[in-house]
Amino acid sequence: MHEVRMMSGKLLTAQELAEKLSLSVETIWRYTRQKQIPYVEVGRRQYRYNLEAVLKAMQARTRQVAEEAAEYLTDPLVTYQDYLKMPEKPGVRYEVIQGRLIEEPSPSVLHQRVSYRLQMLLINYFNSADPEGEVLSAPLDVELSDITVVQPDLLYIPGSAKAALEEVRILIPPKLVVEIVSPITGRKDRLEKMQIYRDAGVEHYWLVDLEGRFIEAYALEDNGYVRVAESAEVFTHPGFPGLEIDIADIFPR
């Protein structure tokens, strides 16, 4: 049993904890099974969580990963024109989220391996499903507004929208955006980016969790994103008929 030391605040169910952290319940169960977060076992396969203890454990684990923390700069409101003037730095890439300039280290080797393998699988799928469509990867600017410029790890532009593409950057919301989530980028990808992609009208948003080794998918509906698929084994999606991704094929053994 992996118990939490009692701290202030009530114990939460997995459902309550998932809501607090903007994660799926399945993710909480997976982290529990892998003993990545502290818990109290109150019965056979019944667990409770202290939010403060879980957050401390996640922060401690974050400090141990190889990636460095993103640096959120506090300059006045940054526009796309300001972004273009930023000097290049080896090993660094920039994004602008709602006027805040974000400076992040280059992705890890694992991140790039997963990104490349998933991109090849998606290219193969869309070569049949939408031969005129394109699957592109970072670094590539997607300007969602004058104060929001992001570089999704992967994105899909359908063939019907290709005429709107520019040579330098993308000015239309992709139909699909994929972000590969590390412990460092988790909060940004699950909260801030999910909100801006939703507001921009990105129909499909996928998160590939490097620690949990799974994909979870969200689809845009009237009231926001709804989780429509998740798998740590074979990923399929109701919005992409015939798509089948063996998770083992995208994660190095």
Side-chain angles (χ1 to χ4, degrees):
M1 179 170 59
H2 189 56
E3 294 187 353
V4 303
R5 180 176 297 175
M6 292 307 296
M7 308 174 83
S8 60
K10 71 171 186 175
L11 293 177
L12 306 175
T13 65
Q15 290 80 4
E16 291 170 332
L17 181 64
E19 184 176 347
K20 293 282 187 183
L21 299 178
S22 297
L23 299 172
S24 69
V25 176
E26 287 81 0
T27 299
I28 298 300
W29 290 135
R30 183 171 295 110
Y31 286 168
T32 301
R33 290 195 301 270
Q34 296 172 350
K35 296 185 178 180
Q36 295 185 26
I37 57 175
Y39 58 82
V40 171
E41 189 169 1
V42 297
R44 182 173 173 79
R45 296 185 180 180
Q46 295 183 21
Y47 307 101
R48 296 293 183 270
Y49 308 84
N50 179 279
L51 179 60
E52 183 180 351
V54 169
L55 288 173
K56 284 193 173 185
M58 294 178 73
Q59 290 166 358
R61 191 170 69 252
T62 295
R63 288 193 294 270
Q64 296 170 2
V65 298
E67 296 177 358
E68 299 176 14
E71 180 184 351
Y72 288 76
L73 306 181
T74 56
D75 293 339
L77 203 65
V78 177
T79 68
Y80 179 67
Q81 294 304 316
D82 297 324
Y83 166 84
L84 291 177
K85 298 174 185 176
M86 293 302 301
E88 291 189 10
K89 291 184 181 180
V92 170
R93 68 177 182 178
Y94 299 109
E95 291 183 305
V96 178
I97 295 182
Q98 296 177 332
R100 290 183 301 116
L101 183 66
I102 299 175
E103 180 180 310
E104 288 187 333
S106 296
S108 67
V109 173
L110 174 60
H111 178 290
Q112 294 301 83
R113 285 174 177 163
V114 170
S115 178
Y116 174 78
R117 294 178 184 193
L118 181 55
Q119 183 179 17
M120 292 301 100
L121 292 173
L122 291 176
I123 286 174
N124 289 338
Y125 171 76
F126 286 115
N127 277 344
S128 297
D130 181 13
E132 295 299 316
E134 287 196 77
V135 179
L136 304 171
S137 62
L140 177 63
D141 291 342
V142 178
E143 185 183 352
L144 299 176
S145 75
D146 191 47
I147 57 171
T148 296
V149 185
V150 291
Q151 293 193 15
D153 290 314
L154 297 172
L155 61 91
Y156 158 62
I157 301 290
S160 59
K162 282 185 64 176
L165 294 183
E166 290 196 353
E167 292 296 322
V168 176
R169 66 191 188 279
I170 293 177
L171 292 171
I172 59 173
K175 183 170 183 177
L176 166 66
V177 163
V178 181
E179 295 287 4
I180 299 173
V181 182
S182 73
I184 291 297
T185 65
R187 180 175 179 83
K188 180 186 70 172
D189 292 334
R190 293 185 180 279
L191 296 178
E192 293 182 290
K193 280 195 167 181
M194 183 173 284
Q195 179 180 336
I196 64 172
Y197 290 142
R198 178 200 67 197
D199 293 346
V202 174
E203 293 182 39
H204 297 280
Y205 184 39
W206 297 1
L207 297 170
V208 181
D209 192 297
L210 290 181
E211 280 202 324
R213 298 171 71 97
F214 65 92
I215 301 176
E216 58 183 308
Y218 296 83
L220 189 62
E221 296 188 1
D222 292 340
N223 296 323
Y225 279 127
V226 174
R227 188 166 53 86
V228 294
E230 178 177 350
S231 180
E233 297 177 356
V234 177
F235 175 81
T236 60
H237 193 292
F240 299 95
L243 176 66
E244 188 172 290
I245 298 172
D246 189 334
I247 299 299
D249 288 341
I250 65 173
F251 281 95
R253 292 175 178 81

